[in-house]
Amino acid sequence: MPRPKLVSAPLESDIDEAYARKARAERLERFLTNDEVFHRCACFGIDRNQFDTWSAKFVDAASKNKIERLKPANLLSVLARGGMETFDDFIVNQFFAYLAKEAPDVVKNTKFLREITDLRFPNEWSPDARKVQRRIIMHVGPTNSGKTHNALQRMRASKSGIYCSPLRLLAHEVYSRLLADGIPCVLITGEDRRMPDFAELGIEPSGYTVTGRPISKMVSCTVEMAPNVHCHVAVIDEIQMIADRSRGWAWTYALLNMRADEIHLCGEPSAVPLVKRICASLDEEVEVHEYSRLGKLEVSPDSLEGKWSNVQKGDCVVAFSRKDIFHIKSMIEEATGLRCAVIYGGLPPETRAEQARLFNDPDSGYDVLVASDAVGMGINLTINRVVFTTLSKWDGNMTRPISVSQTRQIGGRAGRHNSGVDGGKVTTLVASDIKNLDKAMGLQPHQLRVAGLKPPAEVIEVFSRQFPKVPFSQLWSMFRDIANVSDDYFLCNFRDQEAIATAIGHLGLSIKDMYQFIYAPINCRDEIVKDCLVVCATAVARKTECKAASAIRLPRSKPKSRKQLLAFEQWHRAITMYLWLTFHFPETFTQYDEALVLKSQCEDIIKAGLLLSDSPDKPKHSSYSLENTHNAESGDTSGSGENKSKEPKEYVMRLEAKLESLNKLRKMIEVS
């Protein structure tokens, strides 16, 4: 009897050793027969006979628990972090580790390749930081517990400080607050650098450089842009993102490299054991301060019963795709007469801040917020009740349940302390989701097991010399397959980097320049941004100046539909990329001020576009569907349905049928 297939995206709470054992069996079977896996191995000179022989031995050893890192207990963090795609990459990596030990002659120069891709000791990468006697203090607790506030108070009272933010929006907020309180502060993000105007603000500099340049006491920056300077107090916010599969490397780098007398780490308790292990490798101890939530928060036993008419003033209705957000906005406004503000990841940070201001202002006329998970951090909101329309999200490859951490972080935005709201409530659109919501809100996220890494530029350069004829995009996947990483770390997802490298790999850029481009803050799924990327990279390759107007061509007409608005959102991201490039290739991208003007114009157009009523590209059917939900950042979604009423009845029926089907599959797995 064939083994039943696993549900590929389980609830986080269902990922246990039994699940890991079944997942391992399924993916090892796929490993043996998948042509893509063989082609990845062939890049290192492994022929078909060698692959068939050694892959069979590898799978046999793994199935018998003879490979330590493929034992079920050691796979939990891999499965929780990125699902089956991440797991498949991990299996290939462990295959090469197995060959290095059991058959070193199968891959030419395998010992040398493993040595130059050895990332097992990142604690040795930062000798300057090791010279500082650092005190590490963790502030951990749920959303709305005052942990970051306390850490920032300590920074404000110090002689000098650096605040590392997960978002540009939050970095700007801290920068603005410090200036408003008369504390000189510099803002540093990927596309923005701002020095305070000391004379205009009436603020005295902390001192002057030898060239007479004023020195600011504080720096507020995005975590990727943390400056390599000494300070008295550093605050690294949302430390649990050290395990994020795409950006985790930035938190790891900040923790390892920050030259501060005191480092305050703010975030979830799940990060404590991992941070302690990393700091132990640095001979540093960790103090832990635990916080409780300020204000009540409860899961309401009553859903909206699938009816938009049950939305109330002060609600934040959460969905996970751009198209659904606008569709829900229209449905709520039609059903209730309440006006909705919107926040999602694709909006410029300035526009998100403006929409938050409108929702928070009781006199603005905006009573409801419809938002993506972009509200989970970085925006202060006066929310009475959070309503989840779904507990699943498209991750770029598949629809998977949102994590316990995401659920708690988004739900915890209700009833924020000092917001004038007496406690908060969390509920769902449909009754069938209440049980899973209640379970997630009552759980603590799994303890983090691994921290993200990215390979240093010099390591990639040495690796590339071993394969001079291999395209840079392929080089990344090869590095991922053979790299040697310790149990406390993982290589962050290279998919975005591979997409960028594929788009510009034909232009003849140097390895050094290519490495700069692949970490540009863009998504190649945006066609406008991708086209702009090629224009910019061509200028670098040809060593010619690239003016803002050459790369950025805003449409002359204002958006008249949601689809046209999406184009302006992509143009804004292209402008942001140009601004980022002015700091990495200043000889090529010389028009920072001109790009800022374009950025401001684009933000004004987007702001006006959000006021659009029902647009020509609105879905033909008004029933609510999340069956084809995609990433809220991408806007690449499609709705479907037949019901033309303003209540999502058919959606509710489809969702309940899908849940019943999933439950049957899980029972089949348990029985087997």
Side-chain angles (χ1 to χ4, degrees):
M1 178 177 177
R3 182 170 55 248
K5 292 289 184 181
L6 284 166
V7 178
S8 55
L11 296 172
E12 184 179 344
S13 57
D14 292 339
I15 298 177
D16 55 15
E17 288 191 35
Y19 177 84
R21 192 174 294 107
K22 291 182 174 67
R24 185 183 66 180
E26 180 183 310
R27 305 318 282 188
L28 285 174
E29 184 179 327
R30 178 185 181 277
F31 172 83
L32 286 171
T33 58
N34 187 271
D35 286 339
E36 183 203 349
V37 172
F38 168 68
H39 289 311
R40 286 164 67 171
C41 294
C43 292
F44 291 93
I46 299 175
D47 63 35
R48 172 58 76 175
N49 288 335
Q50 290 172 320
F51 177 77
D52 290 344
T53 299
W54 287 103
S55 63
K57 292 181 179 181
F58 166 72
V59 168
D60 181 65
S63 301
K64 294 177 179 177
N65 291 330
K66 293 181 179 180
I67 299 177
E68 184 67 25
R69 298 185 72 176
L70 287 176
K71 290 181 178 179
N74 297 328
L75 293 175
L76 301 181
S77 62
V78 179
L79 292 166
R81 184 171 72 247
M84 293 305 168
E85 183 182 31
T86 299
F87 190 20
D88 290 341
D89 289 341
F90 185 71
I91 289 174
V92 174
N93 178 268
Q94 289 305 295
F95 176 58
F96 279 99
Y98 176 81
L99 288 178
K101 181 180 179 181
E102 301 294 336
D105 295 333
V106 171
V107 175
K108 185 180 178 181
N109 297 327
T110 183
K111 183 179 179 181
F112 178 66
L113 290 175
R114 294 283 286 179
E115 285 177 356
I116 64 175
T117 60
D118 191 345
L119 306 179
R120 289 176 298 164
F121 307 105
N123 54 305
E124 298 177 357
W125 297 353
S126 313
D128 290 341
R130 304 290 76 80
K131 296 174 184 177
V132 181
Q133 188 66 39
R134 308 192 310 174
R135 180 185 173 200
I136 312 294
I137 304 104
M138 293 193 74
H139 304 261
V140 299
T143 303
N144 191 21
S145 59
K147 53 188 184 294
T148 304
H149 171 78
N150 284 355
L152 285 173
Q153 288 297 100
R154 175 69 188 108
M155 187 187 83
R156 292 162 68 103
S158 69
K159 294 180 181 179
S160 60
I162 299 174
Y163 170 68
C164 299
S165 165
L167 299 171
R168 190 176 83 81
L169 184 64
L170 191 51
H172 189 277
E173 182 180 325
V174 171
Y175 161 79
S176 299
R177 285 184 184 177
L178 291 172
L179 289 184
D181 292 339
I183 301 173
C185 183
V186 172
L187 176 69
I188 304 176
T189 70
E191 67 277 7
D192 203 354
R193 309 284 193 281
R194 297 188 195 181
M195 283 289 293
D197 188 327
F198 293 97
E200 182 180 328
L201 295 168
I203 300 174
E204 287 295 324
S206 301
Y208 294 88
T209 65
V210 292
T211 59
R213 184 181 178 183
I215 298 173
S216 181
K217 179 180 178 181
M218 299 292 170
V219 174
S220 182
C221 60
T222 46
V223 66
E224 287 89 347
M225 301 303 298
N228 185 21
V229 297
H230 178 267
C231 67
H232 288 85
V233 174
V235 176
I236 304 175
D237 210 353
E238 304 293 353
I239 186 60
Q240 73 278 0
M241 289 193 69
I242 198 170
D244 184 83
R245 61 177 176 163
S246 298
R247 297 178 64 203
W249 64 267
W251 276 262
T252 303
Y253 189 86
L255 176 59
L256 294 174
N257 290 317
M258 191 67 69
R259 291 190 288 142
D261 300 329
E262 289 182 18
I263 299 180
H264 294 256
L265 310 173
C266 306
E268 296 177 358
S270 61
V272 171
L274 175 60
V275 169
K276 283 187 172 182
R277 290 200 304 275
I278 292 173
C279 289
S281 73
L282 307 173
D283 293 323
E284 294 175 336
E285 295 184 354
V286 179
E287 302 173 31
V288 180
H289 299 174
E290 297 181 353
Y291 293 76
S292 299
R293 181 181 168 85
L294 302 172
K296 297 178 181 178
L297 180 68
E298 62 177 320
V299 176
S300 173
D302 301 317
S303 72
L304 298 194
E305 298 177 348
K307 298 178 180 178
W308 302 122
S309 56
N310 286 332
V311 171
Q312 304 168 0
K313 287 186 178 182
D315 280 352
C316 173
V317 180
V318 178
F320 297 108
S321 84
R322 178 183 182 275
K323 180 174 286 188
D324 285 318
I325 284 170
F326 281 116
H327 187 40
I328 292 168
K329 174 183 184 293
S330 297
M331 303 283 273
I332 291 172
E333 290 179 343
E334 183 182 351
T336 66
L338 300 174
R339 200 171 185 186
C340 300
V342 295
I343 292 176
Y344 52 93
L347 287 176
E350 295 81 0
T351 308
R352 278 182 265 170
E354 172 64 13
Q355 290 290 301
R357 186 194 66 76
L358 290 172
F359 173 69
N360 288 337
D361 183 355
D363 300 320
S364 70
Y366 288 82
D367 303 307
V368 174
L369 178 64
V370 183
S372 72
D373 50 350
V375 299
M377 62 177 72
I379 307 175
N380 288 322
L381 296 163
T382 308
I383 297 170
N384 295 335
R385 181 177 64 171
V386 169
V387 180
F388 286 91
T389 59
T390 176
L391 295 175
S392 298
K393 175 184 176 180
W394 177 259
D395 69 355
N397 296 297
M398 62 186 296
T399 299
R400 48 189 295 119
I402 59 174
S403 67
V404 169
S405 176
Q406 286 177 305
T407 307
R408 287 170 57 89
Q409 193 156 36
I410 297 169
R413 306 300 285 178
R416 189 169 183 83
H417 184 60
N418 289 333
S419 65
V421 177
D422 184 20
K425 293 185 177 182
V426 192
T427 190
T428 59
L429 173 64
V430 294
S432 54
D433 277 339
I434 287 286
K435 183 178 179 180
N436 283 336
L437 173 65
D438 190 45
K439 182 179 180 180
M441 293 297 293
L443 290 173
Q444 289 294 330
H446 287 312
Q447 289 185 353
L448 305 181
R449 295 171 182 262
V450 285
L453 290 177
K454 78 169 181 178
E458 55 271 21
V459 172
I460 290 295
E461 195 159 2
V462 172
F463 185 71
S464 69
R465 294 193 197 118
Q466 315 312 311
F467 305 96
K469 297 181 180 180
V470 172
F472 197 82
S473 56
Q474 185 180 333
L475 203 69
W476 274 104
S477 64
M478 292 175 65
F479 187 95
R480 176 188 63 220
D481 288 343
I482 204 166
N484 195 0
V485 181
S486 74
D487 290 346
D488 286 332
Y489 297 95
F490 71 97
L491 275 179
C492 284
N493 193 325
F494 287 171
R495 303 301 182 196
D496 289 339
Q497 284 72 36
E498 289 173 23
I500 293 172
T502 299
I504 62 176
H506 62 287
L507 298 176
L509 290 162
S510 68
I511 294 294
K512 182 180 178 181
D513 289 345
M514 182 71 85
Y515 188 87
Q516 291 276 24
F517 267 103
I518 62 173
Y519 281 101
I522 65 168
N523 187 330
C524 277
R525 289 193 295 271
D526 294 341
E527 286 300 322
I528 289 172
V529 179
K530 183 178 177 181
D531 291 344
C532 184
L533 167 71
V534 173
V535 170
C536 293
T538 300
V540 172
R542 295 176 178 175
K543 294 181 170 54
T544 58
E545 182 184 10
C546 182
K547 295 184 177 180
S550 300
I552 311 298
R553 300 177 182 274
L554 290 179
R556 294 179 179 274
S557 58
K558 293 182 179 180
K560 297 178 182 178
S561 69
R562 302 299 181 203
K563 185 175 182 180
Q564 291 175 4
L565 177 62
L566 175 61
F568 278 93
E569 292 171 11
Q570 291 192 19
W571 276 116
H572 189 275
R573 291 193 280 277
I575 297 169
T576 298
M577 179 189 69
Y578 184 95
L579 291 168
W580 184 88
L581 289 169
T582 63
F583 295 107
H584 292 79
F585 300 96
E587 302 84 5
T588 301
F589 305 96
T590 58
Q591 294 192 320
Y592 179 83
D593 291 338
E594 290 82 353
L596 280 181
V597 172
L598 289 172
K599 177 173 174 285
S600 180
Q601 292 173 352
C602 193
E603 286 162 5
D604 288 341
I605 292 170
I606 291 172
K607 180 180 176 181
L610 291 177
L611 299 176
L612 289 169
S613 57
D614 290 346
S615 55
D617 59 321
K618 176 184 175 182
K620 293 180 180 179
H621 306 296
S622 60
S623 69
Y624 177 52
S625 172
L626 284 176
E627 290 196 341
N628 295 311
T629 297
H630 279 219
N631 190 317
E633 297 277 344
S634 73
D636 182 16
T637 62
S638 59
S640 62
E642 302 294 336
N643 187 353
K644 297 185 179 181
S645 71
K646 62 185 179 182
E647 303 297 358
K649 295 177 182 177
E650 185 171 318
Y651 163 69
V652 176
M653 294 172 63
R654 285 199 305 271
L655 183 59
E656 289 177 339
K658 184 184 291 186
L659 288 170
E660 184 179 353
S661 175
L662 288 173
N663 287 331
K664 287 181 179 178
L665 280 170
R666 287 195 178 99
K667 289 178 180 178
M668 288 174 63
I669 293 167
E670 290 169 1
V671 170
S672 66

